[in-house]
Amino acid sequence: MTGVGLIGTGFMGKCHALAWNSVRTVFGDVEKVRLVHLGEANAGLAAIRATELGFEKSSGDWRAVVADPEVEIVSLTTPNQFHPEMAIAILEAGKHLWCEKPMAPTLAEAEAMAAAARKSGKTAVLGYNYIQSPAIRHIRQLLGEKVIGEVNHLRVEMDEDFMADPDAPFFWKHEATSGYGALDDFAVHPLSLISALFGRVERVMCDMAKPYPDRQVTGGGRRAVETYDIASSLIHLDNGVSGTLLVNRSAWGRKGRIQVQIFGSRGSIVFDQERFNEIQLYVTSDRATEQGYRTILAAPVHEPYGKFIPAPGHGLGFNDLKTIECRELLARIAGQPARVIDFDEGLEIERTVHAMAQSFAEQKWVKVR
Amino acid sequence: MTGVGLIGTGFMGKCHALAWNSVRTVFGDVEKVRLVHLGEANAGLAAIRATELGFEKSSGDWRAVVADPEVEIVSLTTPNQFHPEMAIAILEAGKHLWCEKPMAPTLAEAEAMAAAARKSGKTAVLGYNYIQSPAIRHIRQLLGEKVIGEVNHLRVEMDEDFMADPDAPFFWKHEATSGYGALDDFAVHPLSLISALFGRVERVMCDMAKPYPDRQVTGGGRRAVETYDIASSLIHLDNGVSGTLLVNRSAWGRKGRIQVQIFGSRGSIVFDQERFNEIQLYVTSDRATEQGYRTILAAPVHEPYGKFIPAPGHGLGFNDLKTIECRELLARIAGQPARVIDFDEGLEIERTVHAMAQSFAEQKWVKVR
Amino acid sequence: MTGVGLIGTGFMGKCHALAWNSVRTVFGDVEKVRLVHLGEANAGLAAIRATELGFEKSSGDWRAVVADPEVEIVSLTTPNQFHPEMAIAILEAGKHLWCEKPMAPTLAEAEAMAAAARKSGKTAVLGYNYIQSPAIRHIRQLLGEKVIGEVNHLRVEMDEDFMADPDAPFFWKHEATSGYGALDDFAVHPLSLISALFGRVERVMCDMAKPYPDRQVTGGGRRAVETYDIASSLIHLDNGVSGTLLVNRSAWGRKGRIQVQIFGSRGSIVFDQERFNEIQLYVTSDRATEQGYRTILAAPVHEPYGKFIPAPGHGLGFNDLKTIECRELLARIAGQPARVIDFDEGLEIERTVHAMAQSFAEQKWVKVR
Amino acid sequence: MTGVGLIGTGFMGKCHALAWNSVRTVFGDVEKVRLVHLGEANAGLAAIRATELGFEKSSGDWRAVVADPEVEIVSLTTPNQFHPEMAIAILEAGKHLWCEKPMAPTLAEAEAMAAAARKSGKTAVLGYNYIQSPAIRHIRQLLGEKVIGEVNHLRVEMDEDFMADPDAPFFWKHEATSGYGALDDFAVHPLSLISALFGRVERVMCDMAKPYPDRQVTGGGRRAVETYDIASSLIHLDNGVSGTLLVNRSAWGRKGRIQVQIFGSRGSIVFDQERFNEIQLYVTSDRATEQGYRTILAAPVHEPYGKFIPAPGHGLGFNDLKTIECRELLARIAGQPARVIDFDEGLEIERTVHAMAQSFAEQKWVKVR
């Protein structure tokens, strides 16, 4: 049995643990794994989490996990800024890596991570789970079959409201050291969908905005906000398709919205992550009097929904996407075809985000490469 | 660690296994369990399933699971007609029981099961998982707080289309020995919601219909269908609320629809299981110019959503409902407050279904008790 | 130019006047009419309304309108209880009649009206405008073409909330003399749709409820409510289709909801009057992986939408339905094919409502004829 | 009675005629008008249309309408390129003008029209009817009341599919002489909403695209398309709000979509013209557990819905918007407060569109003024 290590046990750490727990039972076609070693910030917390999440060993030093000969795959779910050092160490230790997104604060670090992955010969995969839903996979198939003809335009939006409260105090996500703002928090997700469905972005023209230019500091006074909660970008893809990518982490009312509108010469597709068990499809092959968007509910005919539930329309959940991702990771490690975003593909996403930031800084179109 | 047995490994068997796998990691506040012993129709299949689902032992005879002293709780997910014998044996063996619904083909058998449960002193719970969603739990809370005032009317519909194809051949669900049809396949689910939200049904007036009176027999010829795919019932609850309960397992286009409409003196609530991460709420306390149904997305503020995902609007899946049910079962066994439908409450549901069938047979209103 | 009279100028009176104003411009294929004579409760009000609505003459006595030789068609929009006397007088005077629904408080009166219409040889049409929408017409066409195969089940609901406030005082609609309640206020509308789409109702089993058994009297005290705001009926149609018809005029949140669910052997159709420019259609002829309800927006391909607007998806309004009805009335008068509910068809609707009331009184199934 | 002239009888000409027919009956508070004189391309067509639309006189020369002393207000609904000459002649003849949008092909012509309007002292109003819906008016009120706090971001999309068929032959809208494409066909509508709700646009950064670079010519061969069906613009308003304005007239599946998303510090508003009787409102003043978008149905509490229909949720139609616009025009003429887009405000919209085109040509941000 393959041994698994986990470093970091926040939101995504628990998701990884649940995925490791379920993947074999859900899919049947992957080997059983052992949850071997968990690393956290200190030994006490690590021990508690190991008990909760079902790991055999625990350490207060992440290096112990990396050094553990029983660990063959490491789930890395620590904050962004720790990724470069940890990821490179894991890969250099000859272990496969399942790393949460985005890769790293700077492009140089992301490049170093991708280089380490290539050098290691190991599988290094990023946690872009939104590409894993049966709906997005089916959209990919529909596009491949030209069900909506040739795609000519694209709009993607990602919005949530966790930064929307103007009275919430200044915290680390308002500091420039945390990144650009919505660009790295959010834009990477729509970019992962674009990558999975269409390929690379060629050039970008980006605008950014701060809904609240300053915020109260806990303890007194106000401080200027250094990051941008809103980013809006005109984009051109390598394949000639034009579009827009709009993100807003201060969008009151939106909770997990990723709306995708794809326009083709014979139809269109609309998808929203807030209802990710549904696809909206319009095709001109329907009779004129009956043309309209169909609401297609995810079902066993849409892989891999049926591995979870044999009945249509019952609905997968967010955590199930992580289980699918885990299965794809194992397939990739086993040398089978797999739908993942590896470090090279992830590096392209990072490049696009940095190009957007540069475009805003220079107020002009910027080529990604 | 408590030892768990599983008898039956179909749709619901896999659900139970997934729930047992995840419950500790998700909730943290329940003890870890051991997956001890799995029973299937023959030893070979049992061994395969035990490997897939992660059970230590397997047997081709369910009695071996019941007799296993290491097994303290049994998940029973075999077809309906096997429930009485197995459930009673499990309870008589002094084990806790998590039994899939409905209880049994006949009311007498269900009564015997409930009697066995009472006599055993063990926890015996039915798999009515739709009551477990954060949305339904929150609706229960809204009703308790009188957010929509005093409820005066109720409509519930449950529809799927797995029996809708007129060209599908005759099979066992078309035989009278399988039960009444939609009444026991479907009506029990809305009744579980009514039981969880309002209490008991007092009287019923039911109509039933066969959309396809006969079907082709595999091998040649046609045979009269003996069960009713559609049942429509006028109902009165013990609390004086009137309503309707409509079910249809030949409803093309519906995949997992359970629509609930609750009308009160100060507002109304609408819910649909096909979008079970959403609640529609209308309240008259909003300003007149802004009154309208709100679409509330399930979020950490709606228990126990936050145990799965710390971010709102990301969505639970169908299998997560079973994990919640599993946690409630463990809470009940531990003597803590728990939201479950036990055998006594389940017996009321069965009584209501049989009253509906009697009402149709006699073409008149029938009291449930 | 045909001369038109109008008796009654409330909600529906204004609708009729707007329809008479617009019908020629919208359709082009009907002759121009003259708005000749308006009757109201007194001469002063009549004069004001005639000026507002554009009628040449006015009278405080409705008999003057009936007696006017220049009037060839009369719009009758007075309250229900005045219909029998006025309608019969209009028909006996040899004029065509456009009468608002329902026909009359009692079945005997409705029968007398229908008899008078037959005897007169004139056109007598009821204002069931919901059957006139392009969507409902298109649904009729879809059913005729068997796009959803053979229909086997039907559910219709009509709900509004204008009686939902428990603090609103007792008024005439709470008195038994006003009729049964939701049955005659609402049930007639779904029945008009059933009549237009399927034909006659064969038998009914009805339950009724009072959400608020008594209400405050303006001036002091409380008084028992004598009418039923809620009615729920099991129904069987002449063509063998079973279904339910549910109405509620105390349904908080519902404003003009008439939901129709039609289930067939090859698909299903869902319609809601609150979004009456849309049809939901599910057909099994779509590929399995793309089956889903299509939202079809009313468009010029759906007659007679294009007479109003040459662009699809722009939306007709409620008043436009009355203009269509007016055009159908004129077509019927001109001896052309027309989609109207005449007094004979309207009488069937009344019979069904009275059968529902009888069913509730006797607590058993009642045949309509 | 004020005399009305009409020049042009296509889509919008009929809309104007219907509005003139209905405005007095609907509103009651405006004076009755006489439909005096209709002008069309030739005398024969003019005569036919005058009969259909109810005008007293007709002419094959539009100048006859302008010269008619009985005409005090002229509806001008001819194609765009005829507007400048005709509009200026009408205003110079001392008549009020109701002119369809957009103003003119070139900015210079639009400026000349606005100058003529100012010089004339007459009312000159543009047909931007989407600002007239009760929903948009109510959104304006909500913004004024700060119900969603301070607005910080805005997204507007307008999409239809009338140019989406790649097999449709080349026609005049593909020629550069017809304008830029979606920019003048569509962008002006969202800009009218922005103007009505927020004020002026300060600067724009626009991208444009041709989904089909060439099209078949009727008779043989293919020809390069010179106009852009798609335009996507980053925008900044004078009030500091940033946003995006995206239009696409080749968007399969969209029929009359104008989606508006308004984000504020205390909530958000979403509106879609395809369901223009509905407003989506999210406010943070709702209790945390019940926050969600409300679907508010247009009702008599939303002016001027009640002038059309006294019952909520029954729905206005597209043509009703033109009747409201007509009433506002008459109010403006009468010197009363009125919600219209006059030639000066319209000129700002034109300026913005031309700035967008310039921005695309120069690939940089362009200030509108």
Side-chain angles (χ1 to χ4, degrees):
Chain A
M1 282 199 294
T2 306
V4 168
L6 171 65
I7 304 175
T9 58
F11 182 172
M12 279 299 135
K14 186 169 175 177
C15 279
H16 280 234
L18 283 166
W20 286 120
N21 270 340
S22 302
V23 64
R24 160 76 183 178
T25 305
V26 168
F27 285 96
D29 65 355
V30 295
E31 70 162 325
K32 202 173 167 74
V33 297
R34 268 178 63 212
L35 305 191
V36 172
H37 204 146
L38 180 149
E40 250 301 344
N42 62 65
L45 180 59
I48 292 169
R49 290 284 181 268
T51 306
E52 281 174 5
L53 304 181
F55 280 76
E56 298 168 11
K57 292 178 268 185
S58 65
S59 297
D61 179 358
W62 62 272
R63 294 182 186 278
V65 179
V66 177
D68 190 332
E70 292 189 299
V71 169
E72 291 159 82
I73 311 174
V74 178
S75 275
L76 180 59
T77 70
T78 53
N80 199 17
Q81 65 264 35
F82 301 115
H83 287 180
E85 182 184 13
M86 292 179 178
I88 291 170
I90 291 162
L91 290 163
E92 287 180 351
K95 293 164 196 316
H96 302 294
L97 174 56
W98 185 12
C99 178
E100 271 311 308
K101 40 63 46 187
M103 291 178 81
T106 70
L107 187 56
E109 289 168 308
E111 283 169 343
M113 289 166 69
R118 279 192 296 272
K119 189 175 166 198
S120 74
K122 293 293 168 183
T123 293
V125 158
L126 290 156
Y128 284 111
N129 45 280
Y130 292 124
I131 69 167
Q132 301 293 356
S133 69
I136 291 294
R137 287 185 171 208
H138 190 61
I139 289 171
R140 186 179 158 87
Q141 184 184 325
L142 292 171
L143 295 175
E145 293 176 355
K146 308 281 186 198
V147 169
I148 62 164
E150 296 295 331
V151 171
N152 57 58
H153 197 60
L154 175 71
R155 291 186 192 145
V156 196
E157 295 165 87
M158 179 165 181
D159 303 309
E160 295 188 15
D161 62 5
F162 70 90
M163 302 282 276
D165 186 353
D167 298 332
F170 190 98
F171 78 123
W172 65 270
K173 271 187 180 284
H174 299 118
E175 293 187 56
T177 51
S178 73
Y180 306 116
L183 221 43
D184 20 28
D185 259 15
F186 278 12
V188 293
H189 283 298
L191 286 170
S192 74
L193 295 174
I194 290 173
S195 186
L197 296 174
F198 301 104
R200 293 186 171 185
V201 177
E202 186 244 335
R203 58 193 165 104
V204 297
M205 170 71 219
C206 183
D207 190 29
M208 304 213 286
K210 296 174 186 173
Y212 315 115
D214 54 58
R215 285 180 177 270
Q216 58 173 321
V217 177
T218 309
R222 297 187 73 80
R223 180 170 165 187
V225 169
E226 297 161 6
T227 52
Y228 296 86
D229 292 346
I230 299 171
S232 308
S233 200
L234 309 172
I235 60 174
H236 281 224
L237 306 189
D238 269 7
N239 65 5
V241 167
S242 67
T244 50
L245 191 158
L246 316 177
V247 294
N248 186 353
R249 63 184 189 184
S250 286
W252 272 126
R254 304 305 193 186
K255 305 301 177 181
R257 187 174 188 250
I258 307 179
Q259 198 196 42
V260 181
Q261 298 180 68
I262 306 169
F263 297 105
S265 57
R266 303 289 175 205
S268 61
I269 294 170
V270 179
F271 169 83
D272 185 345
Q273 179 66 30
E274 279 184 3
R275 287 178 174 167
F276 76 89
N277 287 290
E278 304 179 10
I279 299 170
Q280 305 285 331
L281 172 68
Y282 183 98
V283 287
T284 59
S285 51
D286 288 334
R287 189 169 70 161
T289 42
E290 279 80 61
Q291 286 182 14
Y293 279 102
R294 295 178 207 172
T295 302
I296 304 166
L297 297 184
V301 291
H302 308 108
E303 278 302 316
Y305 178 99
K307 298 291 187 185
F308 291 85
I309 313 165
H314 283 51
L316 298 194
F318 176 82
N319 288 339
D320 296 330
L321 303 183
K322 218 71 196 171
T323 301
I324 302 173
E325 189 175 80
C326 185
R327 188 262 176 204
E328 295 298 301
L329 166 70
L330 290 172
R332 170 63 70 95
I333 290 172
Q336 297 155 3
R339 179 62 252 150
V340 293
I341 291 192
D342 61 23
F343 274 29
D344 281 332
E345 194 172 351
L347 185 58
E348 287 302 313
I349 292 173
E350 307 273 324
R351 273 200 190 109
T352 309
V353 160
H354 291 285
M356 285 175 176
Q358 183 189 344
S359 163
F360 173 62
E362 303 178 358
Q363 298 278 298
K364 64 175 192 192
W365 282 93
V366 168
K367 293 208 174 217
V368 175
R369 275 174 312 274
Chain B
M1 282 198 294
T2 305
V4 168
L6 171 66
I7 303 175
T9 60
F11 182 172
M12 279 300 134
K14 186 168 175 177
C15 280
H16 280 234
L18 284 166
W20 286 120
N21 269 340
S22 303
V23 64
R24 160 76 182 178
T25 306
V26 169
F27 285 95
D29 65 354
V30 294
E31 70 163 321
K32 202 175 169 73
V33 296
R34 269 178 65 211
L35 305 191
V36 172
H37 204 146
L38 178 150
E40 250 301 343
N42 62 66
L45 180 60
I48 292 170
R49 290 284 181 269
T51 307
E52 282 173 5
L53 304 181
F55 279 76
E56 298 168 12
K57 292 178 267 183
S58 65
S59 298
D61 178 0
W62 62 272
R63 293 184 186 278
V65 179
V66 177
D68 189 331
E70 292 189 300
V71 169
E72 291 160 82
I73 309 174
V74 180
S75 274
L76 180 59
T77 70
T78 53
N80 199 15
Q81 65 264 37
F82 301 115
H83 288 178
E85 182 185 12
M86 293 179 178
I88 291 170
I90 292 162
L91 290 162
E92 286 179 352
K95 292 160 197 316
H96 302 294
L97 175 56
W98 185 13
C99 179
E100 272 309 311
K101 41 61 49 188
M103 291 178 82
T106 69
L107 187 55
E109 289 168 307
E111 283 169 343
M113 288 165 70
R118 281 191 297 270
K119 189 175 166 198
S120 73
K122 293 292 167 181
T123 292
V125 158
L126 289 157
Y128 285 110
N129 45 281
Y130 292 122
I131 69 166
Q132 301 292 355
S133 68
I136 291 293
R137 287 186 172 207
H138 190 59
I139 289 171
R140 185 179 160 86
Q141 185 183 325
L142 292 171
L143 295 176
E145 292 176 356
K146 308 281 185 198
V147 169
I148 62 164
E150 296 295 331
V151 171
N152 56 59
H153 196 61
L154 174 71
R155 292 186 193 145
V156 195
E157 295 166 86
M158 178 166 182
D159 304 309
E160 296 189 14
D161 61 7
F162 69 91
M163 302 281 277
D165 186 353
D167 299 332
F170 190 98
F171 79 123
W172 67 270
K173 272 187 180 283
H174 300 118
E175 293 186 57
T177 51
S178 74
Y180 306 115
L183 220 42
D184 20 28
D185 259 17
F186 278 13
V188 293
H189 283 298
L191 286 170
S192 75
L193 294 173
I194 290 173
S195 186
L197 296 174
F198 300 103
R200 294 188 171 184
V201 177
E202 186 246 335
R203 58 192 165 105
V204 296
M205 170 72 219
C206 183
D207 190 28
M208 303 214 285
K210 297 174 186 174
Y212 314 116
D214 54 60
R215 284 180 177 270
Q216 58 172 321
V217 177
T218 309
R222 297 187 73 80
R223 180 170 165 188
V225 169
E226 297 161 7
T227 52
Y228 296 86
D229 291 348
I230 299 170
S232 307
S233 199
L234 309 172
I235 60 176
H236 279 223
L237 306 189
D238 269 7
N239 66 4
V241 168
S242 67
T244 51
L245 190 158
L246 315 177
V247 294
N248 185 354
R249 63 184 189 184
S250 285
W252 274 124
R254 304 306 191 185
K255 306 302 179 181
R257 187 174 189 250
I258 307 179
Q259 198 195 44
V260 181
Q261 298 180 68
I262 306 169
F263 298 105
S265 57
R266 302 290 175 204
S268 61
I269 294 170
V270 178
F271 169 83
D272 185 346
Q273 179 66 29
E274 280 185 2
R275 287 177 173 167
F276 75 88
N277 287 290
E278 304 179 8
I279 299 170
Q280 305 285 329
L281 172 68
Y282 182 99
V283 287
T284 58
S285 51
D286 288 334
R287 188 169 70 160
T289 43
E290 278 80 61
Q291 286 182 13
Y293 280 101
R294 295 177 206 172
T295 302
I296 305 166
L297 297 183
V301 290
H302 308 110
E303 278 303 315
Y305 177 100
K307 297 293 185 183
F308 292 84
I309 314 165
H314 283 51
L316 298 194
F318 176 82
N319 288 339
D320 296 330
L321 302 183
K322 216 71 196 172
T323 302
I324 302 173
E325 189 175 79
C326 184
R327 188 261 176 206
E328 295 298 301
L329 165 71
L330 291 171
R332 169 64 68 97
I333 290 173
Q336 296 156 3
R339 179 62 252 150
V340 293
I341 290 193
D342 62 22
F343 274 29
D344 281 332
E345 195 172 351
L347 184 58
E348 287 302 313
I349 292 172
E350 308 272 324
R351 272 200 189 111
T352 309
V353 161
H354 291 284
M356 285 175 177
Q358 183 190 346
S359 163
F360 173 61
E362 303 178 358
Q363 298 279 297
K364 64 176 193 193
W365 282 92
V366 168
K367 294 209 172 216
V368 175
R369 277 174 311 275
Chain C
M1 283 199 296
T2 304
V4 168
L6 171 65
I7 303 175
T9 59
F11 182 173
M12 280 299 135
K14 186 169 175 176
C15 279
H16 279 235
L18 284 165
W20 286 119
N21 269 341
S22 302
V23 65
R24 160 75 183 180
T25 304
V26 168
F27 285 96
D29 65 355
V30 294
E31 70 162 322
K32 201 173 168 75
V33 297
R34 270 178 63 210
L35 305 191
V36 171
H37 204 146
L38 179 150
E40 250 300 346
N42 62 64
L45 181 60
I48 292 168
R49 290 284 181 267
T51 306
E52 282 174 5
L53 305 180
F55 280 76
E56 299 168 12
K57 292 177 268 185
S58 66
S59 297
D61 179 358
W62 63 273
R63 293 183 186 278
V65 178
V66 177
D68 189 331
E70 292 190 299
V71 169
E72 291 160 82
I73 310 174
V74 178
S75 276
L76 180 60
T77 70
T78 52
N80 199 15
Q81 65 264 36
F82 301 116
H83 287 178
E85 182 184 12
M86 292 179 178
I88 291 170
I90 290 162
L91 289 163
E92 287 179 352
K95 293 162 197 316
H96 302 295
L97 175 56
W98 185 13
C99 179
E100 272 310 310
K101 42 62 44 188
M103 291 177 82
T106 69
L107 188 55
E109 289 168 307
E111 283 169 343
M113 289 166 69
R118 281 190 297 270
K119 188 175 166 197
S120 74
K122 292 293 165 182
T123 294
V125 158
L126 290 157
Y128 284 110
N129 45 281
Y130 292 123
I131 69 166
Q132 302 293 354
S133 70
I136 292 293
R137 287 185 171 208
H138 190 59
I139 289 170
R140 184 180 160 87
Q141 185 184 323
L142 292 171
L143 295 176
E145 292 176 357
K146 308 281 186 198
V147 169
I148 61 164
E150 297 294 332
V151 171
N152 56 58
H153 196 61
L154 174 72
R155 291 186 193 145
V156 196
E157 295 167 86
M158 179 166 182
D159 303 309
E160 296 188 13
D161 61 7
F162 69 90
M163 303 281 277
D165 186 351
D167 298 332
F170 190 98
F171 78 123
W172 66 270
K173 271 186 180 285
H174 300 118
E175 294 187 56
T177 51
S178 73
Y180 307 115
L183 220 43
D184 21 27
D185 259 16
F186 278 13
V188 293
H189 283 298
L191 286 170
S192 75
L193 295 174
I194 290 173
S195 187
L197 295 174
F198 300 103
R200 294 188 172 184
V201 177
E202 186 245 335
R203 58 194 165 103
V204 296
M205 170 71 218
C206 183
D207 189 29
M208 304 214 285
K210 297 175 186 174
Y212 315 115
D214 55 61
R215 283 180 177 272
Q216 58 172 323
V217 177
T218 309
R222 296 188 73 80
R223 182 171 164 187
V225 170
E226 297 160 7
T227 52
Y228 297 86
D229 292 347
I230 299 171
S232 308
S233 200
L234 309 172
I235 60 175
H236 280 224
L237 306 189
D238 268 6
N239 65 5
V241 168
S242 67
T244 50
L245 191 158
L246 316 177
V247 294
N248 185 353
R249 63 184 189 184
S250 286
W252 273 125
R254 304 306 192 185
K255 305 302 178 180
R257 186 173 189 252
I258 307 180
Q259 197 195 44
V260 182
Q261 298 181 68
I262 306 169
F263 297 105
S265 57
R266 302 290 174 204
S268 61
I269 294 170
V270 179
F271 169 83
D272 185 345
Q273 179 66 30
E274 278 185 4
R275 287 177 174 168
F276 76 89
N277 288 289
E278 304 179 10
I279 298 170
Q280 305 284 330
L281 172 68
Y282 184 97
V283 287
T284 57
S285 51
D286 288 335
R287 188 168 69 161
T289 42
E290 279 79 64
Q291 286 182 14
Y293 279 102
R294 295 177 206 172
T295 301
I296 304 165
L297 296 184
V301 292
H302 308 109
E303 278 302 315
Y305 177 99
K307 298 292 185 184
F308 291 85
I309 313 165
H314 283 51
L316 298 194
F318 176 81
N319 288 339
D320 296 330
L321 303 184
K322 217 69 196 174
T323 302
I324 302 173
E325 188 176 80
C326 185
R327 188 263 176 205
E328 295 298 301
L329 166 71
L330 291 171
R332 169 63 69 94
I333 290 173
Q336 297 156 3
R339 180 62 252 149
V340 293
I341 290 191
D342 62 22
F343 274 29
D344 281 333
E345 195 172 350
L347 185 58
E348 287 301 315
I349 293 172
E350 307 273 323
R351 271 199 190 112
T352 310
V353 161
H354 290 284
M356 286 173 175
Q358 183 190 343
S359 162
F360 173 62
E362 303 178 358
Q363 298 278 299
K364 65 176 191 190
W365 282 92
V366 168
K367 293 209 174 218
V368 175
R369 275 174 312 277
Chain D
M1 283 197 295
T2 305
V4 168
L6 171 66
I7 303 175
T9 60
F11 182 172
M12 279 300 135
K14 187 169 174 176
C15 279
H16 280 234
L18 284 167
W20 286 120
N21 270 339
S22 303
V23 64
R24 162 74 183 179
T25 305
V26 169
F27 285 96
D29 64 355
V30 294
E31 70 164 322
K32 201 175 168 73
V33 297
R34 269 178 63 212
L35 305 191
V36 172
H37 204 146
L38 179 149
E40 249 301 343
N42 62 65
L45 180 60
I48 291 169
R49 289 284 182 269
T51 306
E52 282 174 6
L53 305 181
F55 280 77
E56 298 169 11
K57 290 177 270 185
S58 66
S59 297
D61 179 358
W62 63 272
R63 293 182 188 279
V65 178
V66 177
D68 189 331
E70 293 189 300
V71 169
E72 292 159 83
I73 310 174
V74 179
S75 276
L76 181 59
T77 71
T78 53
N80 199 16
Q81 66 263 36
F82 301 115
H83 288 179
E85 182 186 11
M86 292 178 177
I88 292 170
I90 290 162
L91 290 163
E92 287 181 350
K95 292 162 198 318
H96 302 294
L97 175 56
W98 186 12
C99 178
E100 272 311 309
K101 40 62 47 190
M103 291 177 83
T106 69
L107 187 56
E109 290 168 308
E111 283 169 343
M113 288 166 69
R118 282 190 296 270
K119 189 175 166 198
S120 74
K122 293 292 166 182
T123 292
V125 159
L126 290 157
Y128 284 110
N129 45 281
Y130 292 123
I131 69 166
Q132 301 293 354
S133 68
I136 292 294
R137 288 187 171 207
H138 190 59
I139 290 171
R140 186 180 158 87
Q141 185 184 325
L142 292 171
L143 296 175
E145 292 175 355
K146 308 281 187 199
V147 168
I148 61 164
E150 296 295 331
V151 171
N152 56 58
H153 197 61
L154 175 70
R155 291 185 194 146
V156 196
E157 295 167 86
M158 179 165 181
D159 303 309
E160 295 188 15
D161 62 5
F162 71 90
M163 303 282 278
D165 186 353
D167 299 332
F170 190 100
F171 79 121
W172 66 270
K173 272 188 179 284
H174 300 117
E175 293 187 57
T177 51
S178 73
Y180 307 115
L183 220 44
D184 19 31
D185 259 16
F186 278 13
V188 293
H189 283 298
L191 286 170
S192 75
L193 294 174
I194 290 173
S195 187
L197 296 175
F198 301 103
R200 295 186 170 185
V201 177
E202 186 245 336
R203 58 193 166 104
V204 296
M205 170 71 219
C206 183
D207 190 27
M208 303 215 285
K210 297 174 186 174
Y212 314 115
D214 54 59
R215 284 180 177 270
Q216 58 174 321
V217 177
T218 308
R222 297 187 73 80
R223 181 172 164 186
V225 170
E226 297 161 6
T227 51
Y228 297 85
D229 291 348
I230 299 169
S232 307
S233 201
L234 309 173
I235 61 175
H236 280 224
L237 306 189
D238 268 7
N239 65 5
V241 167
S242 67
T244 51
L245 191 157
L246 315 177
V247 294
N248 185 354
R249 63 184 188 183
S250 286
W252 274 125
R254 303 306 192 185
K255 306 302 177 180
R257 187 174 188 250
I258 308 178
Q259 198 196 43
V260 181
Q261 298 180 68
I262 305 168
F263 298 104
S265 57
R266 302 290 176 204
S268 62
I269 293 171
V270 178
F271 169 83
D272 185 345
Q273 180 65 31
E274 279 185 3
R275 287 178 174 166
F276 75 89
N277 287 290
E278 304 178 9
I279 299 169
Q280 305 284 330
L281 172 68
Y282 183 97
V283 287
T284 58
S285 51
D286 288 334
R287 187 168 70 161
T289 42
E290 278 80 61
Q291 286 183 13
Y293 279 102
R294 296 178 206 172
T295 301
I296 304 166
L297 297 183
V301 290
H302 309 108
E303 277 303 314
Y305 178 99
K307 298 292 186 184
F308 292 85
I309 312 165
H314 283 51
L316 298 194
F318 176 82
N319 288 339
D320 296 330
L321 303 184
K322 217 71 197 173
T323 301
I324 302 172
E325 188 176 80
C326 184
R327 189 262 177 204
E328 294 298 301
L329 166 71
L330 291 172
R332 169 65 69 96
I333 290 172
Q336 296 155 3
R339 180 61 252 149
V340 293
I341 291 193
D342 62 23
F343 274 29
D344 281 332
E345 195 172 351
L347 184 58
E348 287 302 314
I349 292 172
E350 307 273 323
R351 272 200 190 111
T352 309
V353 161
H354 290 284
M356 285 174 176
Q358 183 189 345
S359 162
F360 173 62
E362 303 179 357
Q363 297 279 297
K364 65 176 193 191
W365 282 92
V366 168
K367 294 209 172 216
V368 175
R369 278 173 311 274

